[in-house]
Amino acid sequence: MAMTTLTRTRVARTGVFVGLVLGAVFAAGPVLWMLSSSFKSNTQIFELPPRLITETFSFDAYVQIFTTPETVRFFINSYVVAGAVTVLTLLVAIQAAYAFSRFEFRGKRIVNVIIVSVQAVPPITLLIPYFGLMVTLGLYNTYPGLILTYMVFTLPYAIIMMTGYFNTLPKELDEAVRVDGAGSFTALWRVLVPISIPGIVSVGIYTFMIAWNEFLFALTLTRTIDMRTVPIGIQLLMGQHSYEWNQIMAMSILGSIPVLVLFLFFQRLFISGLTAGSVKS
């Protein structure tokens, strides 16, 4: 007997629901296990059979992290670097995107090609050249060295996204401001920027995530413990003969909180900014 339309709809919905549940378990399972392990001792983490919820919760891993000056310094460094990269990237990208969106100038296409090309280059291929450059400039093992390096990888995407977002805004807004006697600078910061908050937020969150999670350049361009960032700090907990798994998990949880909080608070703006920037370029 052939299935009715109602039956097929129910089967399809059930299949979608089951798929979503399995996907959620697959995605959330490792995170829940990481969170659970951060409240266990190293012995409890490897007990058989494994248990997600342990009978005795221990905050020793978190206490150890917050009472160790080196690990606290890792978080301070990550906040300083990621925050500076985000602010500077937005300042440069907003002005560059405004120029690309509103003006015609000589070499515009060439500059666009360069921006896209930089975005397409695998970062690992630039590791050794950047190491030599930072040593030559005296920026090795410094905040400016990390900040400038990260901006090379965040700026192209930020400019492309902000240009696409500005392209969705009517040019009549700029013209109305100029009729009132104001210049392009005023049109940008007084008119376009306030109504471009979704695009700015989406680019800012993306930039912060890149700078916060970056590992390879942070490892190569820093030497001393007081300049290491959170990803490097997690790696340093992996000793030659033993791993501090509970501290690794706890530090991973703490390292995930800033990006998670940003996304939860600005979720709607983040999604609307991404979709608006992709409508017109």
Side-chain angles (χ1 to χ4, degrees), residues 127-263:
L127 185 62
I128 295 177
Y130 266 102
F131 175 79
L133 179 63
M134 292 303 153
V135 171
T136 303
L137 296 177
L139 298 177
Y140 178 67
N141 200 49
T142 64
Y143 284 143
L146 282 179
I147 292 169
L148 291 175
T149 301
Y150 290 172
M151 285 183 65
V152 171
F153 303 110
T154 57
L155 263 177
Y157 174 86
I159 293 174
I160 292 171
M161 284 296 298
M162 287 308 304
T163 302
Y165 196 92
F166 283 153
N167 285 340
T168 64
L169 304 178
K171 294 184 178 181
E172 287 75 14
L173 293 173
D174 308 52
E175 296 171 358
V177 174
R178 294 192 183 94
V179 168
D180 293 335
S184 299
F185 188 84
T186 302
L188 171 62
W189 294 105
R190 294 288 184 86
V191 178
L192 296 186
V193 168
I195 62 178
S196 302
I197 295 301
I200 294 173
V201 167
S202 63
V203 171
I205 292 178
Y206 169 83
T207 302
F208 186 88
M209 286 193 305
I210 294 296
W212 182 268
N213 295 322
E214 205 284 324
F215 176 84
L216 188 60
F217 283 86
L219 177 64
T220 306
L221 300 181
T222 59
R223 180 184 69 254
T224 58
I225 292 293
D226 62 325
M227 282 303 302
R228 302 293 197 182
T229 57
V230 170
I232 310 303
I234 295 174
Q235 189 269 337
L236 291 176
L237 292 174
M238 302 178 184
Q240 182 177 1
H241 301 291
S242 63
Y243 288 6
E244 298 294 338
W245 284 111
N246 55 349
Q247 293 184 40
I248 291 174
M249 298 301 177
M251 200 165 178
S252 299
I253 291 293
L254 294 174
S256 304
I257 290 177
V259 176
L260 180 62
V261 169
L262 283 175
F263 184 78

Side-chain angles (χ1 to χ4, degrees), residues 72-104:
V72 174
R73 183 70 183 184
F74 297 151
F75 284 94
I76 294 175
N77 292 338
S78 286
Y79 278 115
V80 170
V81 173
V85 170
T86 302
V87 172
L88 293 175
T89 296
L90 287 176
L91 287 175
V92 176
I94 288 172
Q95 297 178 80
Y98 180 68
F100 282 117
S101 176
R102 293 301 196 258
F103 302 104
E104 293 295 332

Side-chain angles (χ1 to χ4, degrees), residues 25-48:
V25 172
F26 182 80
V31 178
L32 292 176
W33 181 256
M34 182 171 64
L35 180 62
S36 172
S37 298
S38 68
F39 294 105
K40 299 177 181 178
S41 65
N42 284 333
T43 303
Q44 290 175 321
I45 292 175
F46 293 99
E47 66 181 359
L48 294 175

